Protein backbone atom coordinates (compact mmCIF):
# COMPACT_ATOMS: atom_id res chain seq x y z
CA UNK A 1 0.00 0.00 0.00
CA UNK A 2 1.08 3.58 -0.71
CA UNK A 3 0.55 4.89 2.81
CA UNK A 4 1.31 8.51 1.96
CA UNK A 5 -1.22 8.48 -0.88
CA UNK A 6 -3.83 6.94 1.42
CA UNK A 7 -3.30 9.73 3.94
CA UNK A 8 -3.56 12.33 1.17
CA UNK A 9 -6.84 10.81 0.05
CA UNK A 10 -8.28 10.88 3.57
CA UNK A 11 -7.32 14.53 4.09
CA UNK A 12 -8.47 15.52 0.59
CA UNK A 13 -11.95 14.16 1.34
CA UNK A 14 -12.24 16.52 4.28
CA UNK A 15 -11.19 19.47 2.11
CA UNK A 16 -13.70 18.49 -0.61
CA UNK A 17 -16.53 18.30 1.92
CA UNK A 18 -15.57 21.67 3.41
CA UNK A 19 -14.99 20.24 6.89
CA UNK A 20 -11.21 20.20 7.15
CA UNK A 21 -10.42 21.56 10.61
CA UNK A 22 -8.07 24.52 10.86
CA UNK A 23 -6.45 25.34 14.18
CA UNK A 24 -6.26 29.02 15.04
CA UNK A 25 -3.19 29.82 17.12
CA UNK A 26 -4.20 32.35 19.74
CA UNK A 27 -2.60 33.76 22.86
CA UNK A 28 -5.01 34.67 25.63
CA UNK A 29 -3.99 37.53 27.89
CA UNK A 30 -4.55 37.22 31.62
CA UNK A 31 -6.69 40.02 32.91
CA UNK A 32 -8.25 40.83 29.56
CA UNK A 33 -10.36 37.77 28.71
CA UNK A 34 -12.06 37.29 26.27
CA UNK A 35 -9.45 39.26 24.32
CA UNK A 36 -6.50 37.50 22.75
CA UNK A 37 -4.01 37.88 19.92
CA UNK A 38 -3.85 35.78 16.80
CA UNK A 39 -0.86 35.33 14.54
CA UNK A 40 -2.14 35.45 10.98
CA UNK A 41 -0.65 33.24 8.23
CA UNK A 42 1.38 36.21 6.95
CA UNK A 43 3.02 36.58 10.38
CA UNK A 44 1.20 39.72 11.46
CA UNK A 45 -0.51 39.82 14.84
CA UNK A 46 -4.19 40.71 15.15
CA UNK A 47 -6.30 41.40 18.23
CA UNK A 48 -9.31 39.08 18.49
CA UNK A 49 -12.24 38.48 20.79
CA UNK A 50 -12.84 34.81 21.57
CA UNK A 51 -16.54 33.88 21.29
CA UNK A 52 -16.23 30.10 21.26
CA UNK A 53 -14.22 29.36 24.38
CA UNK A 54 -15.28 26.92 27.07
CA UNK A 55 -13.78 28.95 29.92
CA UNK A 56 -17.39 29.92 30.52
CA UNK A 57 -16.88 32.14 33.57
CA UNK A 58 -13.37 33.45 32.93
CA UNK A 59 -11.98 31.47 35.88
CA UNK A 60 -8.81 30.72 33.91
CA UNK A 61 -7.62 34.21 34.84
CA UNK A 62 -9.10 34.50 38.34
CA UNK A 63 -6.59 35.53 41.03
CA UNK A 64 -7.84 32.83 43.43
CA UNK A 65 -7.03 30.12 40.89
CA UNK A 66 -3.69 31.56 39.81
CA UNK A 67 -2.52 32.08 43.38
CA UNK A 68 -3.32 28.47 44.27
CA UNK A 69 -1.43 27.22 41.23
CA UNK A 70 1.62 29.38 41.95
CA UNK A 71 1.71 28.18 45.55
CA UNK A 72 1.52 24.54 44.45
CA UNK A 73 4.31 24.98 41.90
CA UNK A 74 6.53 26.61 44.50
CA UNK A 75 5.75 23.87 47.01
CA UNK A 76 5.74 20.74 44.82
CA UNK A 77 7.27 21.54 41.44
CA UNK A 78 5.80 20.79 38.03
CA UNK A 79 4.60 17.23 37.53
CA UNK A 80 2.98 14.71 39.85
CA UNK A 81 5.73 12.15 39.36
CA UNK A 82 3.60 9.15 38.53
CA UNK A 83 0.25 7.45 38.32
CA UNK A 84 -2.17 7.75 41.23
CA UNK A 85 -1.09 4.30 42.39
CA UNK A 86 2.65 4.95 42.10
CA UNK A 87 3.65 8.21 43.79
CA UNK A 88 1.16 10.41 41.88
CA UNK A 89 -1.40 10.97 44.64
CA UNK A 90 -0.71 14.22 46.46
CA UNK A 91 -2.48 16.33 49.03
CA UNK A 92 -3.70 18.50 46.13
CA UNK A 93 -5.41 15.58 44.40
CA UNK A 94 -7.08 14.46 47.61
CA UNK A 95 -8.20 18.02 48.39
CA UNK A 96 -9.74 18.37 44.93
CA UNK A 97 -11.58 15.05 45.17
CA UNK A 98 -12.97 16.09 48.55
CA UNK A 99 -14.19 19.40 47.08
CA UNK A 100 -15.89 17.57 44.22
CA UNK A 101 -17.56 14.98 46.45
CA UNK A 102 -18.87 17.80 48.62
CA UNK A 103 -20.04 19.74 45.55
CA UNK A 104 -22.24 16.88 44.37
CA UNK A 105 -23.31 15.57 47.76
CA UNK A 106 -21.60 12.23 47.14
CA UNK A 107 -19.41 10.08 49.36
CA UNK A 108 -16.43 10.24 47.01
CA UNK A 109 -15.04 11.53 43.73
CA UNK A 110 -12.41 10.16 41.38
CA UNK A 111 -10.15 12.50 39.42
CA UNK A 112 -9.11 11.88 35.79
CA UNK A 113 -6.97 13.85 33.35
CA UNK A 114 -10.07 14.89 31.39
CA UNK A 115 -13.83 14.42 31.39
CA UNK A 116 -13.43 12.48 28.15
CA UNK A 117 -11.18 9.97 29.90
CA UNK A 118 -13.49 9.90 32.91
CA UNK A 119 -16.46 8.96 30.71
CA UNK A 120 -14.52 6.51 28.56
CA UNK A 121 -12.76 4.79 31.45
CA UNK A 122 -15.82 4.55 33.68
CA UNK A 123 -18.36 3.42 31.12
CA UNK A 124 -15.98 0.88 29.60
CA UNK A 125 -15.23 -0.56 33.05
CA UNK A 126 -18.74 -0.92 34.49
CA UNK A 127 -19.53 -4.28 32.77
CA UNK A 128 -16.52 -5.74 34.58
CA UNK A 129 -18.18 -4.75 37.83
CA UNK A 130 -21.72 -5.71 36.84
CA UNK A 131 -21.61 -8.77 34.54
CA UNK A 132 -24.41 -8.71 31.99
CA UNK A 133 -24.88 -4.96 32.35
CA UNK A 134 -27.08 -3.31 29.71
CA UNK A 135 -26.37 0.38 29.07
CA UNK A 136 -29.14 2.59 27.69
CA UNK A 137 -27.55 5.59 26.01
CA UNK A 138 -29.13 8.77 24.66
CA UNK A 139 -28.54 9.06 20.91
CA UNK A 140 -26.88 12.47 21.31
CA UNK A 141 -24.51 11.56 24.11
CA UNK A 142 -20.98 12.92 23.85
CA UNK A 143 -18.36 11.02 21.85
CA UNK A 144 -16.55 10.06 25.06
CA UNK A 145 -19.65 8.31 26.39
CA UNK A 146 -20.26 6.60 23.06
CA UNK A 147 -16.67 5.39 22.95
CA UNK A 148 -16.71 4.06 26.49
CA UNK A 149 -19.98 2.20 25.90
CA UNK A 150 -18.74 0.83 22.58
CA UNK A 151 -15.51 -0.48 24.05
CA UNK A 152 -16.94 -2.17 27.10
CA UNK A 153 -18.04 -5.29 25.26
CA UNK A 154 -21.40 -5.35 26.97
CA UNK A 155 -24.94 -4.91 25.73
CA UNK A 156 -26.08 -1.44 24.75
CA UNK A 157 -29.34 0.15 23.68
CA UNK A 158 -29.57 3.57 22.02
CA UNK A 159 -32.73 5.53 22.73
CA UNK A 160 -33.85 8.48 20.62
CA UNK A 161 -32.75 11.80 22.04
CA UNK A 162 -34.75 12.68 25.16
CA UNK A 163 -37.43 10.20 24.05
CA UNK A 164 -38.77 8.73 27.28
CA UNK A 165 -41.32 6.53 25.53
CA UNK A 166 -38.56 4.92 23.47
CA UNK A 167 -36.39 4.46 26.57
CA UNK A 168 -39.29 2.78 28.36
CA UNK A 169 -39.88 0.52 25.37
CA UNK A 170 -36.23 -0.60 25.41
CA UNK A 171 -36.24 -1.17 29.17
CA UNK A 172 -39.43 -3.22 28.99
CA UNK A 173 -37.98 -5.43 26.26
CA UNK A 174 -35.02 -6.61 28.35
CA UNK A 175 -34.70 -9.17 31.11
CA UNK A 176 -36.02 -7.58 34.34
CA UNK A 177 -33.23 -9.27 36.29
CA UNK A 178 -30.39 -7.92 34.13
CA UNK A 179 -28.31 -5.09 35.63
CA UNK A 180 -29.04 -1.82 33.83
CA UNK A 181 -27.62 1.69 33.56
CA UNK A 182 -29.07 4.78 31.86
CA UNK A 183 -26.44 7.20 30.54
CA UNK A 184 -27.41 10.72 29.52
CA UNK A 185 -26.42 14.39 29.75
CA UNK A 186 -27.85 17.35 31.62
CA UNK A 187 -26.98 19.97 28.98
CA UNK A 188 -26.28 18.79 25.45
CA UNK A 189 -23.41 20.88 24.16
CA UNK A 190 -24.33 21.38 20.51
CA UNK A 191 -28.03 22.34 20.78
CA UNK A 192 -27.98 23.51 24.39
CA UNK A 193 -31.07 21.51 25.37
CA UNK A 194 -31.61 19.75 28.69
CA UNK A 195 -32.02 16.10 29.57
CA UNK A 196 -35.26 15.12 31.40
CA UNK A 197 -33.45 14.16 34.60
CA UNK A 198 -36.41 13.54 36.90
CA UNK A 199 -38.32 11.44 34.35
CA UNK A 200 -35.22 9.35 33.62
CA UNK A 201 -34.70 8.82 37.35
CA UNK A 202 -38.32 7.68 37.63
CA UNK A 203 -37.74 5.10 34.89
CA UNK A 204 -34.51 4.00 36.54
CA UNK A 205 -36.34 3.42 39.82
CA UNK A 206 -39.10 1.53 38.07
CA UNK A 207 -36.74 -0.79 36.20
CA UNK A 208 -33.97 -1.08 38.79
CA UNK A 209 -31.37 0.79 36.74
CA UNK A 210 -28.39 2.87 37.78
CA UNK A 211 -28.16 6.45 36.51
CA UNK A 212 -25.09 8.10 34.97
CA UNK A 213 -25.24 11.78 34.07
CA UNK A 214 -22.72 13.93 32.22
CA UNK A 215 -22.86 17.44 33.71
CA UNK A 216 -19.82 18.74 31.81
CA UNK A 217 -21.60 21.79 30.36
CA UNK A 218 -23.43 22.55 33.60
CA UNK A 219 -20.98 22.22 36.50
CA UNK A 220 -19.98 25.59 37.87
CA UNK A 221 -22.83 27.30 36.03
CA UNK A 222 -26.12 25.92 37.33
CA UNK A 223 -27.43 25.22 40.82
CA UNK A 224 -27.01 27.17 44.07
CA UNK A 225 -23.37 26.05 44.42
CA UNK A 226 -22.66 25.26 40.78
CA UNK A 227 -23.11 21.49 40.97
CA UNK A 228 -25.15 21.45 37.77
CA UNK A 229 -28.70 20.89 36.59
CA UNK A 230 -29.25 17.97 38.96
CA UNK A 231 -28.55 20.32 41.87
CA UNK A 232 -30.71 23.05 40.35
CA UNK A 233 -33.58 20.58 40.09
CA UNK A 234 -32.84 19.06 43.52
CA UNK A 235 -32.20 15.64 42.03
CA UNK A 236 -28.55 14.94 42.87
CA UNK A 237 -29.52 12.32 45.43
CA UNK A 238 -31.23 10.31 42.69
CA UNK A 239 -28.17 10.15 40.43
CA UNK A 240 -25.73 7.28 41.04
CA UNK A 241 -22.78 8.64 39.04
CA UNK A 242 -22.04 12.22 38.00
CA UNK A 243 -19.40 13.08 35.43
CA UNK A 244 -17.99 16.59 35.30
CA UNK A 245 -15.11 18.63 33.97
CA UNK A 246 -12.64 21.12 35.42
CA UNK A 247 -11.74 22.51 32.00
CA UNK A 248 -14.82 24.60 31.28
CA UNK A 249 -16.52 26.70 33.97
CA UNK A 250 -13.68 25.99 36.40
CA UNK A 251 -11.11 27.25 33.92
CA UNK A 252 -8.38 24.65 34.49
CA UNK A 253 -8.11 21.03 33.33
CA UNK A 254 -9.26 17.55 34.32
CA UNK A 255 -12.40 15.50 34.71
CA UNK A 256 -14.01 13.38 37.39
CA UNK A 257 -16.74 11.03 38.47
CA UNK A 258 -18.59 11.55 41.76
CA UNK A 259 -20.41 8.58 43.31
CA UNK A 260 -20.47 6.32 46.36
CA UNK A 261 -17.25 5.23 48.08
CA UNK A 262 -17.75 1.68 46.80
CA UNK A 263 -18.35 2.79 43.21
CA UNK A 264 -15.31 5.08 43.12
CA UNK A 265 -13.16 2.43 44.77
CA UNK A 266 -14.20 -0.19 42.23
CA UNK A 267 -13.59 2.12 39.24
CA UNK A 268 -10.23 3.15 40.74
CA UNK A 269 -9.28 -0.49 41.06
CA UNK A 270 -10.46 -1.78 37.67
CA UNK A 271 -10.34 1.06 35.10
CA UNK A 272 -7.17 0.98 32.95
CA UNK A 273 -7.79 4.61 31.98
CA UNK A 274 -7.28 5.53 35.62
CA UNK A 275 -4.70 2.97 36.70
CA UNK A 276 -2.17 3.51 33.93
CA UNK A 277 -2.35 7.31 33.47
CA UNK A 278 -0.01 9.82 35.08
CA UNK A 279 -2.02 12.01 37.43
CA UNK A 280 -2.66 15.71 36.89
CA UNK A 281 0.15 18.09 37.94
CA UNK A 282 -0.30 19.25 41.54
CA UNK A 283 -0.61 22.88 40.40
CA UNK A 284 -3.53 21.99 38.14
CA UNK A 285 -5.27 20.09 40.94
CA UNK A 286 -4.66 23.00 43.31
CA UNK A 287 -6.06 25.54 40.86
CA UNK A 288 -9.10 23.39 40.17
CA UNK A 289 -9.80 22.90 43.87
CA UNK A 290 -9.59 26.66 44.43
CA UNK A 291 -11.94 27.29 41.51
CA UNK A 292 -14.51 24.74 42.68
CA UNK A 293 -14.43 26.14 46.22
CA UNK A 294 -14.74 29.73 44.99
CA UNK A 295 -17.66 29.05 42.64
CA UNK A 296 -19.60 27.31 45.39
CA UNK A 297 -19.88 30.80 46.89
CA UNK A 298 -20.28 32.86 43.71
CA UNK A 299 -23.89 32.69 42.46
CA UNK A 300 -23.51 36.21 41.06
CA UNK A 301 -21.15 34.90 38.36
CA UNK A 302 -23.71 32.30 37.33
CA UNK A 303 -26.37 35.01 37.17
CA UNK A 304 -24.14 37.24 35.03
CA UNK A 305 -23.45 34.31 32.74
CA UNK A 306 -27.13 33.64 32.14
CA UNK A 307 -27.79 37.36 31.67
CA UNK A 308 -25.16 37.60 28.94
CA UNK A 309 -26.54 34.53 27.17
CA UNK A 310 -30.07 35.95 27.29
CA UNK A 311 -28.92 39.33 25.95
CA UNK A 312 -27.19 37.69 22.99
CA UNK A 313 -30.19 35.49 22.19
CA UNK A 314 -32.55 38.46 22.42
CA UNK A 315 -30.43 40.45 20.01
CA UNK A 316 -30.04 37.57 17.57
CA UNK A 317 -33.78 37.03 17.64
CA UNK A 318 -34.33 40.69 16.84
CA UNK A 319 -32.08 40.29 13.79
CA UNK A 320 -33.98 37.22 12.61
CA UNK A 321 -30.94 34.94 12.71
CA UNK A 322 -31.55 31.16 12.76
CA UNK A 323 -30.35 30.13 16.20
CA UNK A 324 -31.42 27.46 18.66
CA UNK A 325 -32.69 28.48 22.10
CA UNK A 326 -33.47 25.80 24.65
CA UNK A 327 -32.93 28.11 27.60
CA UNK A 328 -29.29 27.27 28.30
CA UNK A 329 -26.13 29.34 27.92
CA UNK A 330 -25.20 27.72 24.61
CA UNK A 331 -26.09 29.79 21.53
CA UNK A 332 -25.78 27.84 18.23
CA UNK A 333 -26.41 29.85 15.03
CA UNK A 334 -27.33 27.38 12.31
CA UNK A 335 -25.70 27.83 8.89
CA UNK A 336 -26.43 24.39 7.43
CA UNK A 337 -23.51 24.11 5.02
CA UNK A 338 -19.88 23.31 5.93
CA UNK A 339 -18.33 25.56 3.28
CA UNK A 340 -20.52 28.52 4.21
CA UNK A 341 -19.87 27.93 7.90
CA UNK A 342 -16.12 28.01 7.38
CA UNK A 343 -16.41 31.11 5.17
CA UNK A 344 -18.44 32.94 7.81
CA UNK A 345 -15.96 31.94 10.50
CA UNK A 346 -13.05 33.23 8.38
CA UNK A 347 -14.81 36.52 7.65
CA UNK A 348 -15.58 37.10 11.30
CA UNK A 349 -11.95 36.45 12.16
CA UNK A 350 -10.17 38.32 9.36
CA UNK A 351 -12.55 41.25 8.92
CA UNK A 352 -13.92 41.79 12.43
CA UNK A 353 -11.43 40.20 14.84
CA UNK A 354 -14.09 37.81 16.15
CA UNK A 355 -13.05 34.21 16.69
CA UNK A 356 -15.74 31.54 16.58
CA UNK A 357 -14.85 28.09 15.31
CA UNK A 358 -17.10 26.36 12.73
CA UNK A 359 -18.84 23.22 14.00
CA UNK A 360 -19.25 20.58 11.31
CA UNK A 361 -19.93 16.86 10.91
CA UNK A 362 -19.28 14.52 12.72
CA UNK A 363 -19.65 16.80 15.76
CA UNK A 364 -23.13 17.70 14.50
CA UNK A 365 -25.29 16.00 11.84
CA UNK A 366 -24.79 17.02 8.21
CA UNK A 367 -27.02 19.91 7.28
CA UNK A 368 -26.89 21.40 10.78
CA UNK A 369 -23.42 22.98 10.58
CA UNK A 370 -23.21 25.97 12.86
CA UNK A 371 -21.34 28.71 14.65
CA UNK A 372 -21.56 28.02 18.38
CA UNK A 373 -21.29 31.12 20.55
CA UNK A 374 -20.50 30.93 24.26
CA UNK A 375 -21.21 34.30 25.90
CA UNK A 376 -19.75 34.81 29.35
CA UNK A 377 -19.51 37.36 32.17
CA UNK A 378 -16.26 38.65 30.62
CA UNK A 379 -18.04 39.58 27.37
CA UNK A 380 -19.09 43.16 28.00
CA UNK A 381 -21.48 45.48 26.11
CA UNK A 382 -18.76 46.57 23.70
CA UNK A 383 -17.89 43.00 22.71
CA UNK A 384 -21.58 42.19 22.35
CA UNK A 385 -22.21 45.22 20.11
CA UNK A 386 -19.28 44.35 17.85
CA UNK A 387 -20.43 40.74 17.46
CA UNK A 388 -24.01 41.69 16.66
CA UNK A 389 -22.84 44.32 14.17
CA UNK A 390 -20.53 41.84 12.43
CA UNK A 391 -23.24 39.20 12.14
CA UNK A 392 -25.70 41.79 10.82
CA UNK A 393 -23.23 42.90 8.15
CA UNK A 394 -22.42 39.35 7.06
CA UNK A 395 -26.01 38.16 7.00
CA UNK A 396 -27.41 41.28 5.32
CA UNK A 397 -24.82 42.52 2.87
CA UNK A 398 -22.36 39.73 2.14
CA UNK A 399 -22.42 37.69 -1.05
CA UNK A 400 -23.52 34.79 1.13
CA UNK A 401 -27.11 36.00 1.45
CA UNK A 402 -29.62 34.58 3.87
CA UNK A 403 -31.06 32.11 1.42
CA UNK A 404 -27.62 30.67 0.70
CA UNK A 405 -26.76 30.47 4.37
CA UNK A 406 -29.98 28.67 5.17
CA UNK A 407 -29.22 26.07 2.51
Amino acid sequence: MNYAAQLDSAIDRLHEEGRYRTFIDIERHRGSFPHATWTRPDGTVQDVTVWCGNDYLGMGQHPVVLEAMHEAIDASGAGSGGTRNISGTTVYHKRLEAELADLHGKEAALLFTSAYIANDATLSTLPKLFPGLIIYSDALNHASMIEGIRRNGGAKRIFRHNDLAHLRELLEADDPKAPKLIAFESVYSMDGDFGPIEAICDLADEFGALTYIDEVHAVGMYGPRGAGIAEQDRLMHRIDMINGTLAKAYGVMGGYVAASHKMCDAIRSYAPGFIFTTSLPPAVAAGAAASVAFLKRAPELREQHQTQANILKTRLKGMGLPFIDHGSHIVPVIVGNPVHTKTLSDMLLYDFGIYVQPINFPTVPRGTERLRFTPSPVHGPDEMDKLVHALDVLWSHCALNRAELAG
Side-chain angles (χ1 to χ4, degrees):
M1 173 180 282
N2 185 332
Y3 295 103
Q6 193 68 21
L7 292 174
D8 286 339
S9 176
I11 296 298
D12 286 345
R13 286 197 300 272
L14 296 178
H15 281 289
E16 290 168 3
E17 295 175 16
R19 59 187 186 93
Y20 178 78
R21 297 170 188 244
T22 302
F23 292 170
I24 305 300
D25 300 330
I26 65 169
E27 181 180 356
R28 300 205 299 169
H29 300 292
R30 177 176 58 86
S32 64
F33 291 4
H35 300 290
T37 52
W38 165 53
T39 303
R40 297 166 64 119
D42 62 6
T44 59
V45 176
Q46 178 179 345
D47 292 330
V48 298
T49 301
V50 179
W51 273 98
C52 58
N54 284 335
D55 188 353
Y56 286 129
L57 303 178
M59 291 301 293
Q61 67 178 354
H62 199 284
V64 167
V65 176
L66 301 186
E67 181 181 355
M69 296 184 77
H70 281 299
E71 288 179 355
I73 288 176
D74 291 339
S76 297
S80 67
T83 65
R84 288 293 298 274
N85 185 50
I86 305 176
S87 80
T89 294
T90 70
V91 293
Y92 302 103
H93 297 85
K94 297 302 290 183
R95 186 179 304 157
L96 175 53
E97 288 177 335
E99 285 284 2
L100 293 169
D102 171 76
L103 175 69
H104 293 291
K106 298 300 181 188
E107 294 176 345
L110 196 61
L111 183 62
F112 294 80
T113 50
S114 73
Y116 187 108
I117 299 299
N119 271 332
D120 186 3
T122 301
L123 289 168
S124 63
T125 297
L126 288 174
K128 300 176 187 176
L129 307 175
F130 306 105
L133 179 69
I134 304 171
I135 296 182
Y136 302 81
S137 176
D138 188 286
L140 293 189
N141 276 342
H142 189 264
S144 58
M145 301 174 76
I146 294 171
E147 183 64 14
I149 294 168
R150 184 190 66 81
R151 289 198 310 106
N152 68 28
K156 64 178 183 294
R157 311 282 187 261
I158 310 301
F159 62 93
R160 291 185 292 270
H161 178 53
N162 282 349
D163 190 331
L164 296 170
H166 189 215
L167 174 57
R168 170 178 286 279
E169 178 184 326
L170 294 173
L171 288 162
E172 288 177 338
D174 284 317
D175 183 353
K177 297 180 180 179
K180 301 174 178 67
L181 179 140
I182 304 172
F184 63 107
E185 299 186 36
S186 63
V187 179
Y188 289 86
S189 62
M190 287 300 112
D191 285 351
D193 57 333
F194 298 95
I197 301 175
E198 184 172 20
I200 286 177
C201 288
D202 288 343
L203 283 174
D205 289 346
E206 182 180 347
F207 289 92
L210 296 171
T211 48
Y212 184 104
I213 191 169
D214 180 310
E215 289 257 35
V216 160
H217 288 274
V219 290
M221 296 173 287
Y222 295 86
R225 298 200 306 158
I229 303 298
E231 181 192 33
Q232 176 179 279
D233 295 348
R234 300 181 179 182
L235 294 168
M236 283 197 301
H237 63 287
R238 300 188 65 187
I239 303 292
D240 295 295
M241 285 170 275
I242 298 174
N243 169 275
T245 186
L246 303 164
K248 292 183 170 60
Y250 295 115
V252 192
M253 179 185 176
Y256 62 89
V257 172
S260 67
H261 278 302
K262 286 184 179 180
M263 185 69 76
C264 287
D265 190 27
I267 295 168
R268 177 187 71 88
S269 302
Y270 280 86
F274 179 86
I275 296 169
F276 299 105
T277 299
T278 298
S279 64
L280 287 172
V284 172
S291 187
V292 172
F294 177 84
L295 285 178
K296 287 176 182 177
R297 310 183 304 274
E300 68 280 359
L301 266 182
R302 286 184 278 281
E303 292 168 6
Q304 292 170 22
H305 186 222
Q306 291 297 318
T307 296
Q308 291 300 91
N310 289 333
I311 289 172
L312 179 57
K313 288 186 283 190
T314 298
R315 297 190 67 174
L316 294 180
K317 183 176 181 180
M319 295 164 60
L321 265 63
F323 72 98
I324 299 173
D325 181 10
H326 287 291
S328 74
H329 62 282
I330 293 169
V331 187
V333 175
I334 303 300
V335 180
N337 177 290
V339 175
H340 292 166
T341 307
K342 179 65 167 64
T343 300
L344 270 176
S345 174
D346 288 345
M347 287 179 166
L348 285 167
L349 182 63
Y350 281 87
D351 299 339
F352 297 93
I354 291 170
Y355 172 41
V356 57
Q357 192 74 0
I359 306 293
N360 295 324
F361 177 84
T363 306
V364 296
R366 297 181 193 275
T368 69
E369 292 82 3
R370 65 198 62 187
L371 299 173
R372 178 180 171 273
F373 296 94
T374 53
S376 75
V378 296
H379 289 93
D382 185 55
E383 288 84 7
M384 190 79 71
D385 287 344
K386 289 178 179 178
L387 172 63
V388 171
H389 170 71
L391 290 172
D392 187 42
V393 168
L394 292 180
W395 243 266
S396 302
H397 305 296
C398 190
L400 295 173
N401 61 40
R402 294 187 188 210
E404 290 176 316
L405 290 170

